[in-house]
Short mmCIF file of all heavy atoms in Angstrom, two decimals:
data_model
loop_
_atom_site.label_atom_id
_atom_site.label_comp_id
_atom_site.label_asym_id
_atom_site.label_seq_id
_atom_site.Cartn_x
_atom_site.Cartn_y
_atom_site.Cartn_z
N VAL L 1 3.91 21.19 374.12
CA VAL L 1 2.96 20.29 373.47
C VAL L 1 1.55 20.59 373.95
O VAL L 1 0.60 20.63 373.14
CB VAL L 1 3.33 18.82 373.75
CG1 VAL L 1 2.21 17.89 373.29
CG2 VAL L 1 4.63 18.45 373.05
N VAL L 2 1.38 20.81 375.23
CA VAL L 2 0.06 21.12 375.78
C VAL L 2 -0.49 22.40 375.15
O VAL L 2 -1.67 22.46 374.76
CB VAL L 2 0.13 21.25 377.31
CG1 VAL L 2 -1.18 21.81 377.86
CG2 VAL L 2 0.42 19.90 377.95
N ARG L 3 0.35 23.43 375.02
CA ARG L 3 -0.10 24.69 374.42
C ARG L 3 -0.44 24.49 372.95
O ARG L 3 -1.45 25.03 372.46
CB ARG L 3 0.98 25.76 374.59
CG ARG L 3 1.11 26.28 376.01
CD ARG L 3 1.89 27.60 376.04
NE ARG L 3 3.27 27.44 375.61
CZ ARG L 3 4.27 27.17 376.47
NH1 ARG L 3 4.04 27.04 377.78
NH2 ARG L 3 5.51 27.04 376.02
N HIS L 4 0.38 23.73 372.23
CA HIS L 4 0.13 23.49 370.80
C HIS L 4 -1.18 22.72 370.61
O HIS L 4 -1.98 23.05 369.72
CB HIS L 4 1.29 22.72 370.18
CG HIS L 4 1.17 22.54 368.70
ND1 HIS L 4 0.45 21.51 368.12
CD2 HIS L 4 1.71 23.26 367.67
CE1 HIS L 4 0.52 21.62 366.80
NE2 HIS L 4 1.29 22.67 366.49
N ARG L 5 -1.40 21.72 371.42
CA ARG L 5 -2.63 20.94 371.32
C ARG L 5 -3.85 21.80 371.62
O ARG L 5 -4.87 21.72 370.91
CB ARG L 5 -2.58 19.75 372.27
CG ARG L 5 -3.82 18.86 372.23
CD ARG L 5 -3.61 17.63 373.09
NE ARG L 5 -4.78 16.76 373.06
CZ ARG L 5 -5.74 16.76 373.97
NH1 ARG L 5 -5.68 17.62 374.99
NH2 ARG L 5 -6.78 15.94 373.88
N ALA L 6 -3.77 22.63 372.65
CA ALA L 6 -4.90 23.49 372.99
C ALA L 6 -5.23 24.46 371.86
O ALA L 6 -6.40 24.77 371.61
CB ALA L 6 -4.60 24.25 374.28
N ALA L 7 -4.20 24.94 371.16
CA ALA L 7 -4.40 25.91 370.09
C ALA L 7 -4.90 25.27 368.80
O ALA L 7 -5.48 25.96 367.96
CB ALA L 7 -3.09 26.66 369.81
N ASN L 8 -4.69 23.97 368.60
CA ASN L 8 -5.01 23.31 367.33
C ASN L 8 -6.08 22.23 367.43
O ASN L 8 -6.50 21.69 366.41
CB ASN L 8 -3.74 22.70 366.73
CG ASN L 8 -2.73 23.74 366.30
OD1 ASN L 8 -2.78 24.27 365.18
ND2 ASN L 8 -1.79 24.06 367.18
N LYS L 9 -6.50 21.89 368.63
CA LYS L 9 -7.45 20.79 368.80
C LYS L 9 -8.76 21.04 368.05
O LYS L 9 -9.31 20.14 367.40
CB LYS L 9 -7.73 20.55 370.28
CG LYS L 9 -8.43 19.25 370.60
CD LYS L 9 -8.46 19.03 372.12
CE LYS L 9 -8.99 17.65 372.46
NZ LYS L 9 -10.36 17.44 372.07
N ALA L 10 -9.27 22.26 368.12
CA ALA L 10 -10.52 22.58 367.45
C ALA L 10 -10.40 22.46 365.94
O ALA L 10 -11.31 21.96 365.26
CB ALA L 10 -10.98 23.98 367.84
N ALA L 11 -9.27 22.93 365.37
CA ALA L 11 -9.06 22.84 363.93
C ALA L 11 -9.00 21.38 363.48
O ALA L 11 -9.54 21.02 362.42
CB ALA L 11 -7.79 23.57 363.54
N PHE L 12 -8.37 20.54 364.27
CA PHE L 12 -8.31 19.11 363.94
C PHE L 12 -9.71 18.49 363.99
O PHE L 12 -10.06 17.66 363.15
CB PHE L 12 -7.37 18.39 364.89
CG PHE L 12 -5.92 18.45 364.51
CD1 PHE L 12 -5.27 19.67 364.41
CD2 PHE L 12 -5.20 17.29 364.23
CE1 PHE L 12 -3.92 19.74 364.04
CE2 PHE L 12 -3.86 17.35 363.88
CZ PHE L 12 -3.23 18.58 363.78
N GLU L 13 -10.50 18.91 364.97
CA GLU L 13 -11.85 18.36 365.10
C GLU L 13 -12.71 18.72 363.90
O GLU L 13 -13.58 17.95 363.49
CB GLU L 13 -12.49 18.85 366.39
CG GLU L 13 -11.90 18.22 367.64
CD GLU L 13 -12.49 18.76 368.92
OE1 GLU L 13 -13.22 19.79 368.84
OE2 GLU L 13 -12.23 18.19 370.00
N ARG L 14 -12.49 19.91 363.31
CA ARG L 14 -13.23 20.30 362.11
C ARG L 14 -12.90 19.39 360.94
O ARG L 14 -13.70 19.22 360.02
CB ARG L 14 -12.93 21.76 361.75
CG ARG L 14 -13.58 22.76 362.71
CD ARG L 14 -13.54 24.16 362.14
NE ARG L 14 -12.18 24.69 362.08
CZ ARG L 14 -11.61 25.38 363.08
NH1 ARG L 14 -12.29 25.61 364.21
NH2 ARG L 14 -10.37 25.84 362.94
N ASP L 15 -11.71 18.78 360.99
CA ASP L 15 -11.32 17.79 359.98
C ASP L 15 -11.72 16.38 360.38
O ASP L 15 -11.34 15.41 359.71
CB ASP L 15 -9.82 17.84 359.73
CG ASP L 15 -9.38 19.08 358.95
OD1 ASP L 15 -10.20 19.54 358.12
OD2 ASP L 15 -8.26 19.56 359.17
N GLY L 16 -12.47 16.27 361.47
CA GLY L 16 -12.93 14.96 361.92
C GLY L 16 -11.87 14.15 362.64
O GLY L 16 -11.97 12.91 362.70
N VAL L 17 -10.85 14.81 363.21
CA VAL L 17 -9.74 14.11 363.85
C VAL L 17 -9.62 14.55 365.30
O VAL L 17 -9.60 15.75 365.60
CB VAL L 17 -8.41 14.39 363.11
CG1 VAL L 17 -7.25 13.70 363.84
CG2 VAL L 17 -8.49 13.91 361.67
N ASN L 18 -9.51 13.58 366.19
CA ASN L 18 -9.26 13.85 367.60
C ASN L 18 -7.75 13.92 367.82
O ASN L 18 -7.04 12.93 367.65
CB ASN L 18 -9.88 12.76 368.47
CG ASN L 18 -9.64 12.99 369.95
OD1 ASN L 18 -9.42 14.12 370.39
ND2 ASN L 18 -9.65 11.92 370.73
N LEU L 19 -7.26 15.10 368.18
CA LEU L 19 -5.82 15.31 368.38
C LEU L 19 -5.44 14.84 369.78
O LEU L 19 -5.64 15.57 370.76
CB LEU L 19 -5.45 16.77 368.16
CG LEU L 19 -3.97 17.14 368.35
CD1 LEU L 19 -3.07 16.33 367.42
CD2 LEU L 19 -3.76 18.64 368.13
N THR L 20 -4.88 13.66 369.87
CA THR L 20 -4.45 13.11 371.16
C THR L 20 -2.96 13.34 371.35
O THR L 20 -2.22 13.62 370.41
CB THR L 20 -4.75 11.60 371.23
OG1 THR L 20 -3.95 10.92 370.23
CG2 THR L 20 -6.21 11.32 370.96
N PHE L 21 -2.52 13.22 372.60
CA PHE L 21 -1.09 13.34 372.88
C PHE L 21 -0.29 12.22 372.21
O PHE L 21 0.90 12.39 371.93
CB PHE L 21 -0.84 13.34 374.38
CG PHE L 21 -1.25 14.61 375.07
CD1 PHE L 21 -2.33 14.63 375.93
CD2 PHE L 21 -0.55 15.79 374.86
CE1 PHE L 21 -2.72 15.80 376.56
CE2 PHE L 21 -0.93 16.97 375.49
CZ PHE L 21 -2.02 16.98 376.34
N THR L 22 -0.94 11.10 371.95
CA THR L 22 -0.25 9.98 371.31
C THR L 22 0.33 10.39 369.96
O THR L 22 1.41 9.93 369.57
CB THR L 22 -1.21 8.79 371.14
OG1 THR L 22 -1.71 8.38 372.41
CG2 THR L 22 -0.49 7.60 370.50
N ALA L 23 -0.36 11.27 369.24
CA ALA L 23 0.14 11.73 367.95
C ALA L 23 1.47 12.46 368.11
O ALA L 23 2.38 12.34 367.28
CB ALA L 23 -0.89 12.62 367.27
N TYR L 24 1.60 13.25 369.18
CA TYR L 24 2.87 13.95 369.44
C TYR L 24 3.97 12.95 369.80
O TYR L 24 5.12 13.11 369.36
CB TYR L 24 2.67 14.95 370.58
CG TYR L 24 1.77 16.11 370.23
CD1 TYR L 24 0.40 16.05 370.49
CD2 TYR L 24 2.27 17.26 369.64
CE1 TYR L 24 -0.44 17.10 370.18
CE2 TYR L 24 1.44 18.34 369.33
CZ TYR L 24 0.08 18.24 369.60
OH TYR L 24 -0.75 19.30 369.29
N PHE L 25 3.64 11.95 370.60
CA PHE L 25 4.64 10.95 370.97
C PHE L 25 5.13 10.20 369.73
O PHE L 25 6.33 9.95 369.58
CB PHE L 25 4.05 9.97 371.98
CG PHE L 25 3.57 10.60 373.26
CD1 PHE L 25 2.42 10.14 373.90
CD2 PHE L 25 4.27 11.64 373.83
CE1 PHE L 25 1.98 10.74 375.07
CE2 PHE L 25 3.83 12.24 375.01
CZ PHE L 25 2.68 11.78 375.63
N MET L 26 4.21 9.85 368.85
CA MET L 26 4.57 9.16 367.62
C MET L 26 5.52 10.01 366.78
O MET L 26 6.53 9.53 366.26
CB MET L 26 3.32 8.81 366.81
CG MET L 26 2.49 7.67 367.35
SD MET L 26 3.28 6.09 366.97
CE MET L 26 2.01 4.97 367.62
N THR L 27 5.18 11.28 366.65
CA THR L 27 6.01 12.18 365.84
C THR L 27 7.39 12.36 366.45
O THR L 27 8.40 12.41 365.74
CB THR L 27 5.31 13.54 365.70
OG1 THR L 27 3.99 13.35 365.15
CG2 THR L 27 6.09 14.46 364.78
N ALA L 28 7.46 12.43 367.77
CA ALA L 28 8.76 12.54 368.45
C ALA L 28 9.58 11.27 368.27
O ALA L 28 10.81 11.33 368.10
CB ALA L 28 8.55 12.84 369.93
N ILE L 29 8.94 10.11 368.30
CA ILE L 29 9.64 8.85 368.06
C ILE L 29 10.22 8.81 366.66
O ILE L 29 11.36 8.38 366.45
CB ILE L 29 8.69 7.65 368.29
CG1 ILE L 29 8.39 7.50 369.77
CG2 ILE L 29 9.31 6.36 367.75
CD1 ILE L 29 7.31 6.47 370.07
N VAL L 30 9.44 9.28 365.67
CA VAL L 30 9.94 9.33 364.30
C VAL L 30 11.22 10.16 364.23
O VAL L 30 12.20 9.78 363.58
CB VAL L 30 8.86 9.90 363.35
CG1 VAL L 30 9.47 10.23 361.99
CG2 VAL L 30 7.72 8.91 363.18
N ALA L 31 11.22 11.32 364.91
CA ALA L 31 12.41 12.17 364.92
C ALA L 31 13.60 11.43 365.51
O ALA L 31 14.73 11.52 365.01
CB ALA L 31 12.12 13.45 365.70
N GLY L 32 13.36 10.67 366.60
CA GLY L 32 14.44 9.91 367.22
C GLY L 32 14.96 8.80 366.34
O GLY L 32 16.17 8.57 366.25
N LEU L 33 14.06 8.10 365.65
CA LEU L 33 14.47 7.00 364.78
C LEU L 33 15.22 7.51 363.55
O LEU L 33 16.15 6.86 363.06
CB LEU L 33 13.24 6.18 364.35
CG LEU L 33 12.49 5.45 365.47
CD1 LEU L 33 11.27 4.72 364.91
CD2 LEU L 33 13.41 4.48 366.20
N LYS L 34 14.83 8.67 363.05
CA LYS L 34 15.55 9.27 361.92
C LYS L 34 16.97 9.66 362.32
O LYS L 34 17.92 9.48 361.57
CB LYS L 34 14.80 10.49 361.39
CG LYS L 34 13.58 10.17 360.54
CD LYS L 34 12.97 11.45 360.00
CE LYS L 34 11.84 11.20 359.03
NZ LYS L 34 11.26 12.47 358.50
N ALA L 35 17.10 10.21 363.53
CA ALA L 35 18.40 10.65 364.00
C ALA L 35 19.32 9.48 364.35
O ALA L 35 20.54 9.56 364.18
CB ALA L 35 18.24 11.58 365.20
N PHE L 36 18.74 8.37 364.81
CA PHE L 36 19.52 7.21 365.24
C PHE L 36 18.92 5.94 364.64
O PHE L 36 18.14 5.23 365.30
CB PHE L 36 19.57 7.14 366.76
CG PHE L 36 20.16 8.36 367.40
CD1 PHE L 36 19.34 9.36 367.90
CD2 PHE L 36 21.52 8.54 367.45
CE1 PHE L 36 19.88 10.51 368.46
CE2 PHE L 36 22.08 9.68 368.01
CZ PHE L 36 21.26 10.67 368.50
#
């Protein structure tokens, strides 16, 4: 996750979005809720 964020943070900022770790946690929770 750290590597992915470092590689994509600038691209997200160009779209006016701050890529926080919270977004990854939310996405992982969605995966868990879908599975169970």
Side-chain angles (χ1 to χ4, degrees):
V1 170
V2 170
R3 287 197 295 269
H4 185 275
R5 180 174 180 264
N8 293 274
K9 194 172 187 296
F12 276 61
E13 288 177 349
R14 288 193 292 270
D15 287 329
V17 177
N18 180 24
L19 179 57
T20 64
F21 287 111
T22 301
Y24 292 92
F25 300 143
M26 285 284 184
T27 305
I29 289 172
V30 168
L33 296 178
K34 283 184 174 181
F36 302 98

